[in-house]
Amino acid sequence: MQKAQKILFYTYWRSGGWVEAKNRSITAEDFAYAKEKGLMFDPLTLSHDDVIKRLHEVLVKISEDDLIKAFLASLSSRDLALRSAIASYYLSQKIPLHAYTPVISGSFYENGEAVSHHFTCGVCRDAFYGIIGDENYIEADLNVLNFERLKWGGVRHGQILYMLFDLERFIELSKPIVKPEDIEILQNMAQIIRSSDDGDYPGKLSDRLKDVLKSSKAEREMLVEILAAIGLLKEQSTDRSARGKHDWSFAQYWRGEDGLCEARFKALFEAYL
């Protein structure tokens, strides 16, 4: 499995960072090996409606307690495949079974006139801020999704195709064991969130979390997004300005004064505290 993961990672990431699409290459032998080990996949073509249908089918196969255990076990083990699915699960639960309903998500202008538009699914968009549903996924690259899932705990949690991929991979995993150090990390994380200064942005919270768990900056940023996606970081207002360029989605409106959603924290983790 280690060799297969190395093949996957080397396809997308080198010492200098991301490998541009034009420079990516993999031998047929390496791809076949990583595919046999379940870490790389053939391109996938699915419609929005197929993705939503499969999401609802996989949701009923997953135990909420297994997701919580996996999330907790990821804290000390740094096994990020265990961490991602809890966000995909709770976000998916917000999406009703529905057909693609196009709404304009952006426009391209020339001389002040809109000459073309981008579309997304309005039902997905309105289910929860940050959820994105395209009409079709043509020859979608599942391997980059798996790379991001294993390296950072996911990146595209709001995209319905990623949610489906993430949850279908989760049911293939062995059930992890929660250790005392996982609970200690969770409690320390909660205290750091509670002790945030009123004006703290999500980036500041991410930086402060480095004192309680082994992680890279990108891993912590994804962790903050997951905490927001599952309702632990709940903003009291969306009428807040951003600070500079950022990639926050679910956590972008959270500020230190919002603290930790104690009711949600208790609902998820009371059995382990």
Side-chain angles (χ1 to χ4, degrees):
M1 190 65 74
Q2 192 172 31
K3 177 184 175 181
Q5 181 165 308
K6 185 177 180 180
I7 291 170
L8 172 65
F9 278 33
Y10 192 73
T11 303
Y12 296 96
W13 192 267
R14 309 280 170 82
S15 57
W18 274 104
V19 178
E20 294 184 25
K22 64 181 180 181
N23 296 325
R24 291 173 191 163
S25 63
I26 182 172
T27 67
E29 181 182 8
D30 280 349
F31 177 73
Y33 180 83
K35 181 179 174 182
E36 179 190 355
K37 298 299 182 182
L39 291 190
M40 295 192 80
F41 308 84
D42 292 321
L44 179 68
T45 295
L46 275 181
S47 70
H48 163 280
D49 295 0
D50 289 335
V51 173
I52 296 299
K53 180 175 179 291
R54 280 174 56 171
L55 261 181
H56 279 258
E57 290 171 349
V58 75
L59 279 172
V60 300
K61 299 177 183 178
I62 294 176
S63 156
E64 183 178 25
D65 190 50
D66 285 346
L67 285 158
I68 293 170
K69 287 178 180 176
F71 174 79
L72 290 172
S74 79
L75 298 178
S76 67
S77 69
R78 207 175 173 184
D79 184 346
L80 300 179
L82 298 174
R83 186 175 300 173
S84 177
I86 194 170
S88 294
Y89 179 81
Y90 287 115
L91 290 172
S92 296
Q93 283 191 320
K94 299 177 184 296
I95 307 173
L97 188 64
H98 69 282
Y100 180 73
T101 308
V103 294
I104 294 174
S105 59
S107 301
F108 179 74
Y109 289 84
E110 285 184 0
N111 301 320
E113 297 287 333
V115 296
S116 64
H117 302 289
H118 298 290
F119 294 88
T120 190
C121 176
V123 177
C124 290
R125 179 200 64 184
D126 295 340
F128 191 71
Y129 178 83
I131 294 178
I132 301 168
D134 294 335
E135 182 176 11
N136 291 293
Y137 298 89
I138 309 298
E139 295 287 293
D141 183 2
L142 301 181
N143 299 316
V144 71
L145 301 183
N146 206 31
F147 163 72
E148 294 169 348
R149 168 177 165 266
L150 298 176
K151 185 168 179 63
W152 298 303
V155 171
R156 314 177 201 212
H157 290 99
Q159 296 187 15
I160 60 171
L161 182 63
Y162 178 77
M163 296 181 207
L164 175 63
F165 177 80
D166 194 16
L167 295 176
E168 289 185 340
R169 300 289 74 72
F170 181 78
I171 61 178
E172 299 170 351
L173 299 176
S174 300
K175 294 183 180 180
I177 297 174
V178 179
K179 301 176 182 177
E181 50 262 47
D182 296 316
I183 306 306
E184 182 180 359
I185 292 171
L186 176 72
Q187 292 174 321
N188 289 336
M189 285 170 48
Q191 190 53 39
I192 281 181
I193 297 168
R194 293 183 184 112
S195 64
S196 296
D197 291 333
D198 284 354
D200 283 356
Y201 280 67
K204 181 62 177 294
L205 174 59
S206 171
D207 290 341
R208 295 179 68 219
L209 289 175
K210 69 183 178 183
D211 294 331
V212 298
L213 81 165
K214 294 180 180 178
S215 55
S216 68
K217 183 175 185 290
E219 288 171 32
R220 291 192 304 277
E221 288 174 350
M222 287 307 106
L223 175 58
V224 169
E225 285 280 69
I226 290 169
L227 296 177
I230 66 177
L232 292 178
L233 302 180
K234 194 171 183 180
E235 73 278 355
Q236 302 305 312
S237 172
T238 56
D239 185 22
R240 288 166 168 168
S241 60
R243 177 184 290 172
K245 186 178 179 181
H246 67 83
D247 294 319
W248 299 109
S249 179
F250 305 110
Q252 73 166 301
Y253 295 116
W254 179 89
R255 298 294 181 267
E257 64 230 52
D258 300 323
L260 177 71
C261 181
E262 299 290 350
R264 185 66 173 150
F265 184 72
K266 181 179 179 180
L268 288 174
F269 303 118
E270 184 176 33
Y272 300 91
L273 297 176

